[in-house]
Amino acid sequence: MADFFAAHRETLDRALQAISARGYWSPYPEVPSGKLYGETAKADGEAAFKAALDSKFDLHQPSDGRWIGDEVSPYGFALGATYATASVDQLIEASEAARTDWAAAPVETRVGVALEVLQRLNARSFEIANAVMHTSGQAFLMAFQAGGAHAQDRGLEAVAYAYEELRKIPGAVLWEKPQGKNPPLQLDKTFRIVARGVALVIGCSTFPTWNSYPGFFASLVTGNSVIVKPHPAAILPLALTVRIARKVLSEAGFDPNTVLLAVDSADAPIAKTLALRPEVGVIDYTGGPAFGRWLEEQAGDKQLFTEQAGVNSVVIDSTDNFKGLCGNLAFSLSLYSGQMCTAPQCIFVPAEGIETDQGHKSFDEVCEGLSTALAKLLGDADRAAAVLGAIQNETTLQRVEESTDLGTVVHASARLEHPQFEGARMATPLLLKVEAAQSEAYGEERFGPIAFVVAVEDAAEGLSRAAALAKTKGAITAGVHSTDAAFLARAEEAFAAAGVSLSENLTGQILVNQSAAFSDYHVSGANPAGNACLTDAAFVAGRFRVVAVRRPHAA
Amino acid sequence: MADFFAAHRETLDRALQAISARGYWSPYPEVPSGKLYGETAKADGEAAFKAALDSKFDLHQPSDGRWIGDEVSPYGFALGATYATASVDQLIEASEAARTDWAAAPVETRVGVALEVLQRLNARSFEIANAVMHTSGQAFLMAFQAGGAHAQDRGLEAVAYAYEELRKIPGAVLWEKPQGKNPPLQLDKTFRIVARGVALVIGCSTFPTWNSYPGFFASLVTGNSVIVKPHPAAILPLALTVRIARKVLSEAGFDPNTVLLAVDSADAPIAKTLALRPEVGVIDYTGGPAFGRWLEEQAGDKQLFTEQAGVNSVVIDSTDNFKGLCGNLAFSLSLYSGQMCTAPQCIFVPAEGIETDQGHKSFDEVCEGLSTALAKLLGDADRAAAVLGAIQNETTLQRVEESTDLGTVVHASARLEHPQFEGARMATPLLLKVEAAQSEAYGEERFGPIAFVVAVEDAAEGLSRAAALAKTKGAITAGVHSTDAAFLARAEEAFAAAGVSLSENLTGQILVNQSAAFSDYHVSGANPAGNACLTDAAFVAGRFRVVAVRRPHAA
């Protein structure tokens, strides 16, 4: 049997350094280049993806014999892949049967398996990128990065955090308590890491891998068996992941059912039934707040980690780079058509306008600047396709259409034709202007390419409204533009108090939407947008427990 | 202002080593000796305690002007101390007002304050021991140790764990992402630790300090303001603690309301109202499972740490020291009259008896051995008083009386007179024998000096019943006696799977009840006896969050 831990030891050590230093680091190249991934990787990945279409994706799991699947690419075609279903009883039983051996394995063995899975996922990044693209609607490059390399980074980050916590637990110690002149009291103690049980990972449709890998790998490495329940619209990327994990587990001598895929349909969802099973000890969930709140109420003593939703804001006070501001924000609103939990929805601008390097800009001139930047960014069809990707589902598109009346249109959403994919669901962002009082319009999450320029009395009011929204509705990101150091300091205080990380004066290539593994703590866990952070010690430390055995020391 | 962090740096460093090594360590002497604590410490502590009787204990907190308090010593006299009450609104408002400055203080400042509080608590151990004794009913030596030095150990342990997690978070980093031949992308990032909000610590009547200090200090050091809500029957020990904390906070330049005492009465409890307040972000609870389950249901996204209750077992398979076994178990049943979350309730013994160094012992001979050992241990009035202490409340005493019919009496509970305190509520343990099928008798928690010898077909059945009880009802400790290494190994597996730490073949001075800070992980969090462990990384890591500020790097 290969020693996976030894093989990946160097990567692990670098990851452990990275989570401590939290500067830039990544072991998985984000550039879909033949030089890095092999000259045939692109063609191989595409071929593998095509082979999965219109066929049975067989994971050789326990099954009730039914095959389901109705994934439709947002680029306009049905995937036709089907997956074997299993009853919740079958899944839990198989997971329970598998987990004892897995939990009993040495920490290094489990970590080694996880690192090998990550490496094989990386090698299959082109195939996974195609699968992510044609389920989430992300453009290919983004799918390769966010769905491939960056998701793998997030997985590795979780493995590193988990290993850091696991290796803290000593194996065996001698406890020796002095008794003055008498011989000391002595106990031999051994400490054993016990897993929580079955871990459930509930995926979402927009970032099926990026949002699932942290919980998946953290639960796996800490000794839990894992059941992955993808969103019915984005099964394939996680089915590929599960297949690779099961293969590595088998090679390492473990029951492949240590990792299981649980497929369901929108009509007959099984997540609630799974979540309520007493064997389930850990739940990771990414998705809407209604189900998130239900999970919080039902979790009891299960460990629950959620990323839900929020209303992200940018506050504009002033800038020394108006063009850069508009271009950067236009990109933030357009990237993956705003279908990111990190995309801004509200842009607070003083009604009397702002000072800029181009002189005073009125509120309407700011709106115009943003609209012009959007038009410029998305004016070229190829670039538009590369930036916007496709709209994951019809509901989001309807939401765009229904939102037009929520304010005065600054930039209308337009349906676009994709240069390559006929029937792709594409739309440019809708930008509306509203008054500060219209919080019923801008103050609710409107997922998708919908944003508001909100006229406030001054930037301070914008700040206070943005922070209040973060605190009450949740927020994962915040942005501010100001040339005034004192205003920036106030913004830092206000957003910190609301539990949101803040990006200041982004006018270049970095977007407020971006979150880098090993450096950015994604989601604070300190407002309603989610109760957990990807990734910190709290994200991993509760996924296992310690029990000891103590006995009189054998002299 | 004194540099408390520098003053206690060495203690902290040793504590950090100790939580990693998990051998024996304690900085706070457990012996109530004048040589260690000062020749007048004993008299001073007693005098201070007496001065608190029949008087107003003024913490100079916000108050609604009422004074309440009806603590009664289990040794037979009313304390007569009263405490100013405050409305929940007043408490939350004061805590909220105090917490901003506290949360903004450097980590080292907060840690220094906590360490100074612990040192002053240690210096007041005699006073606190009297307060613990005359609220919980613990005998003086135990009150000095469990309520004083060991509780301080547990507090320090929590500070060390919290500091270990806090210092992981880097202050400022340069994130620099290579861009091939182009200049790297550069962001300056600063990371800020944000507290959860107001932390609520809900104390119990039997271990008012030991069970409260871990949560209290962990929440405080991580930047939360803390409201301490003692059990109405055991306010004084925590009132003394809060007074010391408020003094140190004031000296360090902080609002003393960073720590507040919330007093209530059994008739008009306020814990629920406090727990539901949105400002409360962390709750530590020790107490019964009914309120524990309610908290789990209501907690939502609050961090909740519980120690509830369970049914602890000892399984006897065989022994090479029958006398030691009986003596050790008799002590375990008697210590503090079984009013410990770690005391055994069920002793599983094969119906056909066991092999021992004294030859075969029938089931009844094992019962007799235990009864004899109890009689011997408690035959001397002074020793009985020192071991048993007093029964904390009348309900427990009634429970003893009402439990007599649950089985066949092996050792009857007797009321004792205390050699010093007239009217002390004292009772020796009730030991019953029952059949394995009578699980309705032994399989529910019967808090207090009530235990069962359960006849099982063989030790394996005992093990399986004990582990099942732990898994379904919760357990904090387990014991096993066997001369068979294979049986011990099976016991280790079974109790680990049930999330209980196991003590093997204890026949000397160490009791299954004892849990040493810096070494024993108290409560696993892996069965219904509690969701948290005192103390591990998971106990502290979620008490704070991280938010970042990132901005383009200033070249």
Side-chain angles (χ1 to χ4, degrees):
Chain A
M1 192 180 98
D3 186 343
F4 294 135
F5 186 77
H8 301 296
R9 177 81 220 210
E10 200 182 319
T11 303
L12 179 63
D13 286 343
R14 282 290 290 112
L16 288 165
Q17 289 168 28
I19 60 172
S20 165
R22 294 200 88 88
Y24 170 81
W25 184 67
S26 167
Y28 305 119
E30 68 175 12
V31 183
S33 144
K35 284 185 188 136
L36 296 163
Y37 284 91
E39 289 306 335
T40 65
K42 183 163 189 277
D44 294 348
E46 205 169 305
F49 168 69
K50 287 192 172 154
L53 302 179
D54 301 314
S55 58
K56 290 182 172 178
F57 194 102
D58 198 349
L59 287 163
H60 306 287
Q61 292 186 178
S63 165
D64 56 14
R66 290 193 309 130
W67 293 79
I68 63 167
D70 54 4
E71 294 163 289
V72 177
S73 169
Y75 292 93
F77 58 93
L79 266 57
T82 56
Y83 311 86
T85 61
S87 70
V88 167
D89 280 344
Q90 282 180 310
L91 291 165
I92 294 287
E93 193 182 321
S95 194
E96 279 282 295
R99 79 182 187 83
T100 311
D101 281 355
W102 178 246
V107 166
E108 282 72 18
T109 303
R110 295 199 303 260
V111 170
V113 165
L115 294 171
E116 178 67 15
V117 172
L118 282 162
Q119 194 188 50
R120 295 195 197 180
L121 285 170
N122 181 246
R124 302 274 280 275
S125 290
F126 279 94
E127 182 181 359
I128 289 169
N130 276 283
V132 169
M133 175 179 180
H134 289 295
T135 49
S136 70
Q138 292 176 20
F140 179 79
L141 181 62
M142 182 169 177
F144 188 91
Q145 295 186 337
H150 297 174
Q152 295 146 19
D153 282 342
R154 282 286 177 204
L156 175 57
E157 182 183 43
V159 172
Y161 267 103
Y163 183 60
E164 186 167 79
E165 293 304 322
L166 292 164
R167 67 175 174 174
K168 276 187 196 168
I169 313 301
V173 304
L174 170 64
W175 181 85
E176 193 167 26
K177 182 174 179 176
Q179 298 293 298
K181 290 170 189 162
N182 296 318
L185 294 176
Q186 294 179 317
L187 287 175
D188 287 322
K189 301 187 183 184
T190 51
F191 298 100
R192 180 194 294 239
I193 289 162
V194 295
R196 285 276 183 181
V198 176
L200 176 63
V201 177
I202 304 174
C204 67
S205 61
T206 46
F207 288 89
T209 56
W210 197 94
N211 273 97
S212 299
Y213 282 4
F216 174 81
F217 283 102
S219 281
L220 194 63
V221 162
T222 49
N224 305 279
S225 54
V226 182
I227 297 177
V228 179
K229 212 299 290 169
H231 192 286
I235 300 172
L236 186 57
L238 288 172
L240 288 167
T241 304
V242 166
R243 180 151 72 188
I244 289 169
R246 291 171 62 85
K247 179 80 170 28
V248 176
L249 283 161
S250 292
E251 288 177 28
F254 295 99
D255 184 341
N257 292 339
T258 304
V259 172
L260 289 164
L261 186 77
V263 289
D264 64 357
S265 64
D267 297 338
I270 60 170
K272 283 192 179 183
T273 315
L274 278 167
L276 290 174
R277 286 292 296 240
E279 297 88 346
V280 170
V282 186
I283 302 170
D284 287 90
Y285 169 70
T286 311
F291 193 69
R293 298 280 173 274
W294 182 86
L295 282 170
E296 281 177 357
E297 285 161 24
Q298 301 294 328
D301 59 2
K302 297 177 206 276
Q303 294 281 302
L304 172 67
F305 303 90
T306 69
E307 176 178 332
Q308 303 181 34
V311 179
N312 303 318
S313 299
V314 173
V315 178
I316 305 182
D317 170 60
S318 52
T319 181
D320 59 9
N321 181 355
F322 183 66
K323 196 181 158 194
L325 179 157
C326 293
N328 184 279
L329 261 181
F331 213 126
S332 274
L333 299 176
S334 303
L335 185 62
Y336 185 30
S337 300
Q339 299 169 104
M340 301 179 74
C341 57
T342 52
Q345 176 175 309
C346 301
I347 302 164
F348 291 95
V349 175
E352 297 184 357
I354 58 168
E355 298 309 313
T356 79
D357 56 321
Q358 302 178 10
H360 183 83
K361 293 279 181 187
S362 71
F363 178 83
D364 281 332
E365 284 169 335
V366 174
C367 292
E368 195 189 307
L370 291 169
S371 177
T372 304
L374 283 168
K376 190 178 161 194
L377 176 68
L378 305 173
D380 175 78
D382 285 332
R383 188 163 61 200
V387 171
L388 294 169
I391 304 287
Q392 204 281 325
N393 65 64
E394 199 58 34
T395 310
T396 299
L397 206 57
Q398 282 169 20
R399 190 181 301 116
V400 176
E401 282 162 18
E402 289 161 6
S403 297
T404 311
D405 296 340
L406 292 172
T408 307
V409 173
V410 167
H411 190 89
S413 174
R415 297 295 300 266
L416 296 187
E417 299 285 321
H418 195 284
Q420 292 161 265
F421 295 97
E422 199 180 334
R425 204 186 281 124
M426 284 184 70
T428 62
L430 170 67
L431 188 62
L432 301 166
K433 64 178 179 182
V434 292
E435 299 300 317
Q438 291 173 262
S439 61
E440 79 294 343
Y442 65 82
E444 299 297 328
E445 193 204 19
R446 311 221 177 249
F447 188 78
I450 303 161
F452 300 86
V453 189
V454 185
V456 281
E457 202 173 311
D458 53 23
E461 189 201 349
L463 189 54
S464 129
R465 286 188 177 267
L469 269 180
K471 204 157 187 172
T472 55
K473 307 286 176 169
I476 295 178
T477 63
V480 64
H481 286 270
S482 180
T483 56
D484 175 1
F487 187 79
L488 291 175
R490 292 217 306 278
E492 290 170 14
E493 292 299 325
F495 286 114
V500 201
S501 286
L502 176 65
S503 296
E504 297 179 354
N505 294 328
L506 295 185
T507 55
Q509 292 180 65
I510 303 283
L511 306 179
V512 68
N513 318 37
Q514 292 165 331
S515 174
F518 301 106
S519 182
D520 293 318
Y521 295 91
H522 178 70
V523 188
S524 71
N527 67 48
N531 76 359
C533 166
L534 310 180
T535 295
D536 61 9
F539 187 70
V540 298
R543 291 176 196 260
F544 69 92
R545 307 278 74 211
V546 178
V547 298
V549 173
R550 51 186 198 178
R551 62 184 78 81
H553 178 58
Chain B
M1 191 181 101
D3 185 344
F4 293 134
F5 186 78
H8 301 296
R9 177 81 218 212
E10 201 180 318
T11 303
L12 178 64
D13 286 342
R14 283 290 290 112
L16 288 165
Q17 288 168 28
I19 59 172
S20 166
R22 293 201 88 89
Y24 171 80
W25 183 66
S26 167
Y28 305 118
E30 67 176 13
V31 183
S33 144
K35 284 187 188 133
L36 295 163
Y37 283 92
E39 291 305 336
T40 64
K42 184 163 189 279
D44 293 349
E46 204 169 307
F49 169 70
K50 287 193 170 151
L53 302 179
D54 302 312
S55 59
K56 289 182 171 177
F57 193 102
D58 199 348
L59 287 163
H60 306 288
Q61 290 185 178
S63 165
D64 56 16
R66 291 191 310 130
W67 292 80
I68 63 169
D70 53 6
E71 292 162 289
V72 178
S73 171
Y75 293 92
F77 58 92
L79 267 57
T82 56
Y83 310 86
T85 61
S87 70
V88 166
D89 280 344
Q90 281 179 311
L91 291 165
I92 295 287
E93 193 182 322
S95 195
E96 278 282 295
R99 80 182 186 84
T100 310
D101 280 356
W102 178 246
V107 166
E108 282 71 19
T109 303
R110 296 200 301 260
V111 170
V113 165
L115 294 170
E116 178 68 15
V117 172
L118 282 163
Q119 194 187 53
R120 295 194 197 180
L121 285 170
N122 180 247
R124 303 275 280 276
S125 290
F126 280 95
E127 181 181 0
I128 289 169
N130 276 283
V132 169
M133 176 181 180
H134 289 294
T135 49
S136 71
Q138 292 176 21
F140 180 78
L141 181 61
M142 182 170 178
F144 188 90
Q145 295 185 339
H150 297 174
Q152 294 146 20
D153 282 342
R154 282 285 178 204
L156 177 57
E157 183 181 43
V159 172
Y161 267 102
Y163 184 59
E164 186 167 76
E165 293 302 324
L166 292 164
R167 66 176 173 171
K168 276 187 198 170
I169 313 302
V173 303
L174 171 63
W175 180 85
E176 192 167 27
K177 182 174 179 177
Q179 297 294 297
K181 291 170 188 164
N182 296 319
L185 294 176
Q186 293 180 319
L187 287 175
D188 287 322
K189 300 187 182 186
T190 51
F191 298 101
R192 180 194 294 237
I193 289 160
V194 295
R196 284 277 184 180
V198 176
L200 175 63
V201 178
I202 304 174
C204 67
S205 62
T206 46
F207 289 89
T209 55
W210 197 94
N211 273 97
S212 299
Y213 282 5
F216 175 80
F217 282 102
S219 281
L220 195 62
V221 162
T222 48
N224 303 280
S225 53
V226 183
I227 297 177
V228 179
K229 211 300 289 171
H231 191 285
I235 300 171
L236 186 56
L238 288 173
L240 288 166
T241 303
V242 167
R243 180 150 72 188
I244 289 169
R246 290 171 61 85
K247 180 81 166 32
V248 176
L249 282 161
S250 292
E251 289 177 28
F254 294 100
D255 185 340
N257 292 339
T258 304
V259 171
L260 289 164
L261 187 76
V263 291
D264 64 357
S265 63
D267 298 339
I270 61 171
K272 283 192 181 186
T273 315
L274 278 167
L276 290 175
R277 286 293 295 239
E279 297 88 347
V280 170
V282 186
I283 302 171
D284 286 271
Y285 168 70
T286 312
F291 193 68
R293 298 280 174 275
W294 182 86
L295 282 171
E296 280 177 0
E297 287 161 22
Q298 301 294 328
D301 60 0
K302 297 176 205 279
Q303 293 282 301
L304 172 67
F305 303 92
T306 69
E307 176 178 331
Q308 304 182 31
V311 179
N312 303 320
S313 300
V314 174
V315 178
I316 305 183
D317 169 61
S318 53
T319 180
D320 59 9
N321 182 354
F322 184 67
K323 196 180 160 196
L325 179 157
C326 291
N328 183 281
L329 262 182
F331 212 126
S332 273
L333 299 176
S334 302
L335 184 62
Y336 184 31
S337 300
Q339 298 168 105
M340 301 178 75
C341 58
T342 53
Q345 176 176 308
C346 300
I347 302 165
F348 291 95
V349 176
E352 297 185 358
I354 59 167
E355 299 308 313
T356 81
D357 55 323
Q358 301 177 12
H360 183 83
K361 293 280 181 188
S362 70
F363 178 83
D364 282 334
E365 283 168 337
V366 175
C367 292
E368 196 188 308
L370 290 169
S371 178
T372 305
L374 283 167
K376 190 176 162 198
L377 176 68
L378 305 172
D380 174 79
D382 283 334
R383 189 165 59 199
V387 172
L388 294 170
I391 305 285
Q392 203 280 326
N393 65 63
E394 200 57 34
T395 309
T396 299
L397 207 56
Q398 282 169 20
R399 190 180 302 118
V400 176
E401 282 161 18
E402 290 162 5
S403 298
T404 310
D405 297 339
L406 292 173
T408 307
V409 173
V410 167
H411 190 89
S413 174
R415 297 296 300 264
L416 297 185
E417 299 285 322
H418 195 284
Q420 291 162 267
F421 295 98
E422 200 180 333
R425 203 186 284 123
M426 281 184 71
T428 63
L430 170 67
L431 189 62
L432 301 167
K433 64 178 179 182
V434 292
E435 299 299 318
Q438 291 174 262
S439 61
E440 80 294 344
Y442 66 82
E444 298 297 328
E445 194 203 19
R446 311 223 177 249
F447 189 78
I450 304 162
F452 301 85
V453 189
V454 185
V456 280
E457 202 173 310
D458 53 23
E461 188 200 351
L463 188 54
S464 127
R465 285 189 178 269
L469 270 180
K471 205 157 186 172
T472 55
K473 306 287 176 170
I476 295 177
T477 64
V480 65
H481 287 268
S482 180
T483 57
D484 175 1
F487 187 79
L488 291 176
R490 287 207 324 267
E492 291 171 13
E493 292 299 324
F495 286 115
V500 203
S501 286
L502 176 65
S503 296
E504 297 179 354
N505 295 326
L506 296 185
T507 55
Q509 292 179 64
I510 303 283
L511 306 178
V512 67
N513 320 34
Q514 291 164 332
S515 175
F518 300 105
S519 182
D520 294 317
Y521 294 90
H522 179 71
V523 189
S524 72
N527 68 48
N531 75 358
C533 165
L534 309 180
T535 297
D536 61 9
F539 187 70
V540 298
R543 291 176 196 260
F544 69 92
R545 306 278 73 209
V546 178
V547 297
V549 173
R550 52 185 196 177
R551 64 184 79 78
H553 177 58

